[in-house]
């Protein structure tokens, strides 16, 4: 990858008997990185690597490292000796296979980010694999986007936008009435997560995650609601406002975003 410390660390981990594969994900894997990009490294194992072994390896190549963070997954997060940030995420390869099977073959949707693991795998670069396990998994899930999965994602997420009892719009309206800005931000984030889950499903594109979503959609999705970028940007700019007029504008923008999305769903024969 053109980084001595990174390359040598990958070599060291590849020598461990527990390691089945090492994949680079994120912007660096697809050559879309910038000066703020870190290394997102997924180390797939059949058995856990002892923490002391991980520390011994990372100490050689990192100036700073937090070992065994458990905030989301098992991770070692730090900084290479050249100053580049790095995340080492440890996953069991059989667990990933089961997660992908649940989504891609059984068509199970989530509330937001339904197909992120799928996107992550298909857009990763294999740095090392033992017995071809990573390549086999990539080949296994390099399939067309299932129509039933698309419908399930829409049917699970669409009512949560504004029509069901626990819909995000209803929760946002109550939070605005209480002047609970934290709750407003939290519910709008969930609203946007479900909204993008639907947008990417309509385009039969696995969900790329949390970063640069508007730009990714603009460059990769042929089917977008009218005023897609304008309305999302306007909504995000309104969040920090606290007066009553801006509160009404937030709800109005949510309604318009849902209306434009509904029009697209009808156009694609996916509504109802």
């Amino acid at each position: 990858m053109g980084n001595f410390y990174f390359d040598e660390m990958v070599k060291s981990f590849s020598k461990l008997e527990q390691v089945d594969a090492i994949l680079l994900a994120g912007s660096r894997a697809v050559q879309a990185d910038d000066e703020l990009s870190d290394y997102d490294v997924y180390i797939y194992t059949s058995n856990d690597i002892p923490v002391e072994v991980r520390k011994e390896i990372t100490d050689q190549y990192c100036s700073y490292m937090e070992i065994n963070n458990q905030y989301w997954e098992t991770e070692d997060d730090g900084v290479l000796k050249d100053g580049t940030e790095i995340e080492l995420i440890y996953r069991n390869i059989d667990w990933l296979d089961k997660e992908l099977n649940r989504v891609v073959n059984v068509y199970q949707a989530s509330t937001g980010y339904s197909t992120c693991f799928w996107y992550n795998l298909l857009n990763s670069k294999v740095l090392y694999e033992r017995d071809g396990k990573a390549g086999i998994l990539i080949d296994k899930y390099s399939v067309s986007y299932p129509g039933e999965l698309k419908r399930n994602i829409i049917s699970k997420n669409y009512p949560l936008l504004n029509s069901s009892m626990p819909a995000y719009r209803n929760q946002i309206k109550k939070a605005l009435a209480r002047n609970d800005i934290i709750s407003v931000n939290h519910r709008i984030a969930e609203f946007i997560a479900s909204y993008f889950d639907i947008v990417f499903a309509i385009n039969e594109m696995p969900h790329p995650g949390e970063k640069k979503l508007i730009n990714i959609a603009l460059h990769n999705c042929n089917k977008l609601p009218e005023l897609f970028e304008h309305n999302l940007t306007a909504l995000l700019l309104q969040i920090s406002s606290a007066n009553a007029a801006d509160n009404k504008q937030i709800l109005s923008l949510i309604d318009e975003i849902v209306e434009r999305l509904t029009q697209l769903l009808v156009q694609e024969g996916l509504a109802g």
Side-chain angles (χ1 to χ4, degrees), residues 40-54:
D40 298 308
V41 182
Y42 290 82
I43 299 179
Y44 290 100
T45 65
S46 49
N47 295 292
D48 292 342
I49 305 170
V51 171
E52 58 271 18
V53 173
R54 287 154 41 194

Side-chain angles (χ1 to χ4, degrees), residues 154 158 198 202 223-225 258-272:
I154 294 169
Y158 181 75
I198 295 167
I202 292 170
K223 303 170 183 177
L224 291 173
V258 175
E259 181 181 353
R260 300 291 186 180
L261 178 63
T262 302
Q263 291 171 356
L264 179 60
L265 290 170
V266 170
Q267 178 183 319
E268 295 297 315
L270 296 168

Side-chain angles (χ1 to χ4, degrees), residues 9 85 97 108 184 230-231 238 250 258 261 263:
M9 181 184 290
E85 293 184 3
D97 189 9
Q108 290 185 8
V184 170
H230 171 81
N231 284 341
Q238 287 289 342
I250 288 174
V258 175
L261 178 63
Q263 291 171 356

Side-chain angles (χ1 to χ4, degrees), residues 165-176 183 187 190:
M165 282 292 294
Y168 300 128
R169 188 200 188 276
N170 297 338
Q171 297 183 52
I172 292 165
K173 183 179 180 180
K174 290 180 181 179
L176 287 169
S183 182
R187 298 309 178 192
E190 291 182 321

Side-chain angles (χ1 to χ4, degrees), residues 19-134:
V19 175
D20 293 313
I22 302 174
L23 275 65
L24 176 67
S27 58
R28 289 185 180 271
V30 294
Q31 297 182 325
D33 52 297
D34 55 34
E35 67 276 4
L36 298 176
S37 298
D38 60 3
Y39 285 101
D40 298 308
V41 182
Y42 290 82
I43 299 179
Y44 290 100
T45 65
S46 49
N47 295 292
D48 292 342
I49 305 170
V51 171
E52 58 271 18
V53 173
R54 287 154 41 194
K55 185 178 187 305
E56 182 179 351
I57 292 175
T58 56
D59 280 351
Q60 298 177 59
Y61 309 108
C62 296
S63 59
Y64 174 78
M65 181 59 69
E66 297 177 1
I67 297 293
N68 208 38
N69 281 338
Q70 299 287 334
Y71 302 117
W72 296 279
E73 301 183 64
T74 297
E75 301 182 15
D76 298 332
D77 305 300
V79 183
L80 293 168
K81 289 184 176 181
D82 73 337
T84 309
E85 293 184 3
I86 186 168
E87 295 180 45
L88 302 171
I89 301 103
Y90 302 90
R91 290 177 175 172
N92 181 283
I93 199 164
D94 294 328
W95 169 85
L96 178 63
D97 189 9
K98 291 178 182 177
E99 283 296 305
L100 293 174
N101 180 71
R102 178 181 63 81
V103 174
V104 180
N105 296 326
V106 185
Y107 318 127
Q108 290 185 8
S110 304
T111 52
Y113 308 106
S114 292
T115 53
C116 283
F117 286 143
W118 189 20
Y119 180 95
N120 179 279
L121 178 68
L122 295 183
N123 290 276
S124 292
K125 180 176 181 179
V126 179
L127 304 177
Y128 166 78
E129 59 181 333
R130 176 177 286 118
D131 301 327
K133 283 192 173 183

